[in-house]
Amino acid sequence: MCHQYNDALLSNLENILDDELTIGSAGLLKGGAIAWVQVEMPESMKVADVEFRPHLLATTSFNGSIATTYKRTVTVVVCDNTRAMALGENSEEYRIRHTAHSALRLADAREALSIVYQLGDDFSREVEQLLSIKVSDQVFDKFISSMFHVENPDNKMAITRSQNNIDQFKTIYTTDNRVAPWKGTAYGVLQLVNTHRHHYRATKTNTVRVERNMMDALNGITEQQDKQAMRKLLALV
């Protein structure tokens, strides 16, 4: 049983949230098979020169390919990148499978999500913590080498591709204004990884970058890769 877009993405959101939150964006993916709505606070927040906007990302699918999901995420304003909580092992979300007996339990949803307002405080603490972790040039070199390590030293093509990625990461880290202001910190490294994935990583044939980025956010791929990168970095520092 598929959830209807009007119920899952509009009526239910009205019941979960209050009147101070507004719909920031909405759209269809995969030819209309998947829909999403982003509900956000009316104004951005700021901590240590990092401007961000907490929001609730709601999605469902007409064909049952994605469970109806409500999850807390953040848009970093300077780069328009979607972020979850990179330091937490489990971001807060609420999923409803497409079954005949599935339904949204509002009390459970409110408790699981802790609503968007708490996310502002949580994300502020995470940014401050990441900014306090210093990353030397030596540690950074070890980090990107581990990101693009080639197992087979005889694979010349893989080695060339790895070095090209390393060179591109170094350039973004030092020159891109979405990353460079926080160079030398764990937050800067996370911005690097996230910004590269959103704006630089090559797309497959017939794939639109904006749609790919949104699908990665809905499926949790962005969140997983951010956390993997942070685990690699924190193991080095």
Side-chain angles (χ1 to χ4, degrees):
M1 176 180 176
C2 296
H3 297 145
Q4 298 301 308
Y5 290 166
N6 184 66
D7 294 334
L9 301 184
L10 295 177
S11 299
N12 286 347
L13 281 179
E14 289 178 358
N15 292 325
I16 293 174
L17 303 172
D18 60 41
D19 294 334
E20 294 183 13
L21 300 172
T22 60
I23 293 179
S25 58
L28 298 173
L29 303 168
K30 303 296 182 182
I34 297 171
W36 57 273
V37 174
Q38 183 172 294
V39 177
E40 61 186 27
M41 298 177 67
E43 296 182 359
S44 298
M45 301 178 67
K46 193 172 185 179
V47 57
D49 293 327
V50 177
E51 188 176 3
F52 64 93
R53 183 166 295 192
H55 53 75
L56 178 69
L57 187 59
T59 183
T60 192
S61 56
F62 192 74
N63 59 4
S65 61
I66 289 183
T68 298
T69 305
Y70 306 88
K71 61 190 302 181
R72 304 188 313 158
T73 51
V74 166
T75 295
V76 180
V77 174
V78 69
C79 52
D80 198 31
N81 292 357
T82 300
R83 278 274 313 279
M85 302 297 288
L87 294 182
E89 286 303 311
N90 297 294
S91 68
E92 294 185 83
E93 64 178 42
Y94 186 88
R95 288 180 178 269
I96 310 169
R97 292 184 299 172
H98 294 272
T99 66
H101 304 290
S102 63
L104 176 67
R105 296 185 298 274
L106 295 179
D108 292 345
R110 289 194 183 102
E111 182 179 356
L113 295 166
S114 300
I115 311 304
V116 182
Y117 299 108
Q118 182 182 332
L119 177 57
D121 295 333
D122 293 344
F123 190 73
S124 294
R125 285 191 292 269
E126 176 171 291
V127 170
E128 290 174 337
Q129 183 177 353
L130 290 171
L131 286 171
S132 71
I133 300 173
K134 304 306 177 184
V135 178
S136 67
D137 291 342
Q138 292 79 7
V139 169
F140 178 73
D141 287 341
K142 290 180 180 179
F143 170 75
I144 57 175
S145 293
S146 69
M147 290 282 289
F148 301 108
H149 176 69
V150 178
E151 294 289 343
N152 182 3
D154 296 325
N155 190 334
K156 304 302 182 185
M157 184 176 296
I159 290 175
T160 298
R161 184 166 55 249
S162 173
Q163 188 58 53
N164 289 340
N165 283 322
I166 289 173
D167 292 342
Q168 186 179 47
F169 262 55
K170 287 184 175 180
T171 299
I172 298 170
Y173 191 55
T174 56
T175 65
D176 193 306
N177 63 3
R178 295 166 293 197
V179 179
W182 302 283
K183 177 180 178 290
T185 68
Y187 181 78
V189 173
L190 181 58
Q191 276 292 97
L192 166 65
V193 172
N194 196 275
T195 298
H196 178 271
R197 185 168 56 251
H198 275 80
H199 302 286
Y200 290 90
R201 183 168 59 110
T203 59
K204 296 180 180 179
T205 304
N206 298 324
T207 299
V208 178
R209 182 179 298 275
V210 173
E211 179 168 324
R212 182 202 65 186
N213 290 344
M214 180 54 67
M215 283 299 303
D216 285 354
L218 299 182
N219 287 321
I221 294 175
T222 297
E223 177 184 352
Q224 292 170 11
Q225 293 184 349
D226 280 349
K227 289 179 178 178
Q228 288 172 2
M230 280 298 96
R231 282 194 287 267
K232 283 180 178 289
L233 178 65
L234 294 178
L236 295 172
V237 299

